[in-house]
Amino acid sequence: IDTAGTLCKAANELKRRGARRVFALASHGLFSGEASVRIEKSCLEEVVVLNTVPANDKIASNPKVVHISVAQLLANAVECIHDNKSIT
């Protein structure tokens, strides 16, 4: 998610076509420009992203945006590599 323009338009279209609730999930949230304002004003109920990109102050304080940590996933991968085990 970069500026969230397309995301918010898609969410509005889903609502227009009868969706009761709209959520968005993405791997990386860049949240450039007016992304936080767009998400805040949108019909999106929640936007979930991994914490692979540091959040700016605006997006960190946006109540609709949830960041999920990848720390344990990375720790498990490092441990498997160290122990010569498969990471799949």
Side-chain angles (χ1 to χ4, degrees), residues 17-73:
R17 291 177 180 242
R20 288 184 226 131
R21 302 170 77 190
V22 181
F23 297 82
L25 295 91
S27 299
H28 311 294
L30 301 176
F31 302 115
S32 302
E34 297 298 312
S36 185
V37 172
R38 285 188 184 108
I39 291 168
E40 186 69 39
K41 291 180 178 180
S42 77
C43 64
L44 287 160
E45 226 172 286
E46 190 171 72
V47 177
V48 180
V49 294
L50 301 176
N51 68 343
T52 54
V53 177
N56 62 46
D57 292 340
K58 287 181 185 177
I59 211 69
S61 63
N62 189 321
K64 288 187 174 184
V65 179
V66 175
H67 290 85
I68 297 176
S69 176
V70 295
Q72 190 61 54
L73 178 68

